Amino acid sequence: MVEIKSDLKYTKSHEWIKVDGDSVTMGVSDFAQSELGDITYLELPEPGEAVTRNEPLGVIESVKAASDIYSPVTGEIVEANENVVDAPESVNSSPYDDAWLVKIKLSDPSQLDELMDSAAYEKFVEEEGGH
Amino acid sequence: MAESSELKRTPIAERHVQAGAKMVDFSGWYMPVNYKGIIEEHHTVRNNVGVFDLGHMGQLDVTGPDAEAFLQYVATNDVSKLSRGQAQYAMLLYPNGGVVDDIIVYRRPDDSGFFIVLNAANTQKDIDWFNEQKANRPEFDVNLDHSSDRTGMIAIQGPNAEQVMQKITDVDLSPVENFWSVYANVAGAPCMLGRTGYTGEDGFEVYSPIDKILEIWDALFDAGSDVGIQPIGLGARDTLRLEAKMALYGQELSPEITPLEARLGWAVKFDKGEFIGREALLKQKEEGLTRRLVGFKLVERGGTPRTHYEIQVDGKPVGEVTSGTRSPTLGENIGLGLVDTEYAGVGKPLDIIVRNKPVRAEQVRTPFYKRG
């Protein structure tokens, strides 16, 4: 079964977001990692880089394919997880904890309102996730 | 995913679903891409034993008094060299030297004719093409029997393949050498077993009446449970074949790529006489190749090479990646590509353009992996 954490928000491109004041931590969902399969490579932005909502902020590669990681919000990268770049397989084993990807300082907190809560994401995965 | 109800299913499809496989549309077939994960399945075949459902692949029986002469005319390899039960790799060519398909040709162990295995994506095209050649050359007294719908096919591959296969087979498999085949009863069903595969490991491909293949699949898992036999999906099939530098039609081979460019000249026998594509290949040989297939590995970080990525040297386009992956066995990013001949050579550098950025690669000897 795919794990969906109730205290997180989600995007239609299968990123998760944890809100902490005026910044967020994000990663890819358990559904995303199980669809991608064995993760072999990650490319993440550097601290200080500007990111834009719904635009690629990085790349995730599995044995099968390369995919973009989309920024859920507009803002500035505060921190990128170097550990996950060195051990991409942790995206498979721990997508919500060890394999957080970046922290972003929000430009416009109202963008958070457009993200899905866990109930909406669960429904989305069931309906549009392909199963 | 495509509507699974519209896809063709092998008799084993339900087993894949039960095992939790991720199922995909592969050339119109409902097939497993992976069960547990590509990397784990890859290691299972390299170190132990794995089983592949190959029910999507095509089969053709070629019989009749002129079967051998006909195959000499349509295929690149020298079929006359095959003893009873022996198999060989060959290609079917267009007159311009481009490739229709790559195939395995078996001379049946009882010499009743030839048995040919075709790529799933090409089966109908190949059958039409064989029929066209037969119609063009009515002097060949030959029967073409497209037997895909009656034939079940699975592969069992890995260092423990013989040990497991032997448990459910009524003939001694130890004397069967690489690229030879035998008739045998497998789990009580009459089969042909080839000591062939597409992984670079020892193993067998099993051809059975289609209504027996599910029983054979189940019997293999019973027989191999003590060593930890596992089902293997198409994802690991691709990483395994690439490490072993086996060509994949549509990537290393196509109507636009000749066997000489793909470095498969060893399967082209000019001295056997006329065959379709011979003149074009002789001309290419005489004029010299302008590009050829090379193997490379990335020597810096930057991602994984993928099919159609551009290859550059000093900022100038010199070729294209045909296949690439992160090699589970080597832990390196490896690939094959067609490169302008002047830049081809072991040790020479290439830049693989990954997401608009050059990533440095070095050409290496192939195969990337060879079993010890």
Side-chain angles (χ1 to χ4, degrees):
Chain A
M1 260 321 281
V2 170
E3 187 187 10
I4 296 174
K5 290 209 162 186
S6 60
D7 59 335
L8 303 177
K9 293 186 176 293
Y10 298 88
T11 64
K12 289 186 174 176
S13 44
H14 303 286
E15 288 88 11
W16 59 259
I17 297 94
K18 186 178 179 189
V19 183
D20 182 15
D22 65 350
S23 69
V24 300
T25 303
M26 67 157 290
V28 300
S29 73
D30 188 39
F31 176 80
Q33 73 76 19
S34 78
E35 285 293 298
L36 291 165
D38 296 313
I39 304 301
T40 56
Y41 179 81
L42 280 163
E43 220 167 74
L44 298 177
E46 301 278 335
E49 280 185 40
V51 293
T52 306
R53 182 174 63 155
N54 296 339
E55 293 198 358
L57 66 67
V59 172
I60 186 165
E61 293 205 34
S62 69
V63 175
K64 282 176 298 200
S67 315
D68 287 322
I69 304 165
Y70 291 91
S71 185
V73 292
T74 299
E76 183 186 310
I77 299 294
V78 181
E79 195 181 346
N81 184 352
E82 293 302 322
N83 293 331
V84 72
V85 172
D86 292 337
E89 63 279 6
S90 65
V91 176
N92 295 117
S93 57
S94 182
Y96 295 118
D97 296 300
D98 296 350
W100 64 272
L101 299 179
V102 293
K103 296 185 196 236
I104 306 169
K105 187 165 188 293
L106 291 165
S107 297
D108 177 4
S110 74
Q111 286 182 348
L112 296 174
D113 300 340
E114 292 172 36
L115 300 171
M116 287 181 275
D117 64 15
S118 62
Y121 181 62
E122 191 168 344
K123 198 155 171 273
F124 176 74
V125 165
E126 275 170 24
E127 285 172 4
E128 317 223 352
H131 292 282
Chain B
M1 189 193 290
E3 275 302 309
S4 61
S5 57
E6 294 166 9
L7 299 173
K8 290 180 275 186
R9 288 170 183 246
T10 78
I12 305 168
E14 200 51 40
R15 289 287 183 276
H16 308 320
V17 175
Q18 287 162 359
K22 179 175 165 58
M23 303 296 286
V24 296
D25 173 355
F26 184 85
S27 303
W29 289 84
Y30 186 60
M31 297 299 288
V33 64
N34 63 267
Y35 303 80
K36 291 182 172 173
I38 293 174
I39 294 175
E40 182 178 338
E41 291 165 32
H42 182 106
H43 291 313
T44 296
V45 172
R46 287 276 178 261
N47 303 319
N48 188 1
V49 57
V51 187
F52 303 75
D53 177 8
L54 301 179
H56 57 314
M57 296 193 76
Q59 290 86 24
L60 173 70
D61 275 284
V62 181
T63 56
D66 296 331
E68 181 177 307
F70 179 71
L71 288 176
Q72 290 290 68
Y73 169 64
V74 299
T76 56
N77 213 328
D78 188 349
V79 178
S80 74
K81 292 285 199 298
L82 291 177
S83 301
R84 290 180 175 209
Q86 203 176 5
Q88 70 185 188
Y89 178 81
M91 282 156 285
L92 312 172
L93 302 185
Y94 294 105
N96 71 0
V99 181
V100 179
D101 201 4
D102 62 337
I103 61 175
I104 299 290
V105 182
Y106 294 85
R107 188 188 288 270
R108 289 273 191 186
D110 60 0
D111 206 17
S112 59
F114 295 91
F115 179 70
I116 298 178
V117 183
L118 312 164
N119 278 305
N122 291 337
T123 297
Q124 194 53 54
K125 176 184 83 171
D126 292 350
I127 296 297
D128 294 345
W129 187 85
F130 270 101
N131 281 318
E132 194 184 317
Q133 304 321 314
K134 181 182 183 235
N136 287 345
R137 298 292 292 264
E139 67 272 27
F140 288 123
D141 184 0
V142 61
N143 303 308
L144 303 177
D145 179 16
H146 179 195
S147 49
S148 302
D149 291 347
R150 307 194 304 272
T151 308
M153 177 174 176
I154 59 186
I156 173 169
Q157 303 274 296
N160 289 326
E162 181 185 317
Q163 172 200 332
V164 174
M165 195 73 225
Q166 188 66 72
K167 287 190 189 172
I168 61 166
T169 303
D170 70 346
V171 303
D172 182 9
L173 295 174
S174 59
V176 181
E177 293 189 53
N178 202 24
F179 270 79
W180 288 74
S181 64
V182 289
Y183 287 135
N185 282 302
V186 177
C191 293
M192 196 176 94
L193 270 74
R195 197 151 200 156
T196 48
Y198 194 52
T199 62
E201 293 303 325
D202 186 23
F204 298 88
E205 290 176 307
V206 183
Y207 308 94
S208 83
I210 196 152
D211 60 342
K212 300 291 185 196
I213 198 72
L214 182 58
E215 288 167 46
I216 293 170
W217 178 271
D218 289 341
L220 274 174
F221 282 88
D222 287 343
S225 65
D226 57 338
V227 297
I229 198 168
Q230 295 290 334
I232 312 296
L234 296 174
R237 185 167 165 81
D238 190 51
T239 55
L240 289 158
R241 72 91 196 165
L242 179 51
E243 283 184 351
K245 203 207 176 193
M246 292 165 138
L248 174 60
Y249 190 89
Q251 295 185 195
E252 282 72 42
L253 296 173
S254 79
E256 284 77 42
I257 303 169
T258 74
L260 302 181
E261 291 168 331
R263 306 309 264 178
L264 293 168
W266 55 270
V268 179
K269 300 293 154 61
F270 292 104
D271 56 6
K272 70 171 177 166
E274 184 199 3
F275 62 90
I276 300 170
R278 183 174 187 267
E279 295 313 312
L281 294 189
L282 278 175
K283 184 160 177 278
Q284 188 177 49
K285 208 175 176 180
E286 195 181 318
E287 291 173 353
L289 295 174
T290 58
R291 59 175 187 171
R292 68 177 178 90
L293 195 72
V294 301
F296 61 83
K297 66 173 187 185
L298 300 190
V299 294
E300 61 181 11
R301 277 181 63 87
T304 299
R306 311 276 178 188
T307 305
H308 299 313
Y309 281 10
E310 187 172 278
I311 301 176
Q312 295 183 355
V313 171
D314 296 332
K316 180 184 146 195
V318 300
E320 188 177 274
V321 175
T322 56
S323 294
T325 193
R326 177 150 183 97
S327 159
T329 304
L330 305 175
E332 295 190 280
N333 290 292
I334 61 169
L336 298 171
L338 280 170
V339 170
D340 293 349
T341 310
E342 59 177 305
Y343 300 101
V346 170
K348 290 187 184 173
L350 299 172
D351 288 326
I352 312 301
I353 307 305
V354 180
R355 293 178 284 276
N356 301 316
K357 278 184 293 193
V359 182
R360 181 52 57 91
E362 180 185 282
Q363 295 179 58
V364 294
R365 288 188 196 289
T366 52
F368 302 99
Y369 166 85
K370 199 167 183 175
R371 71 176 183 262

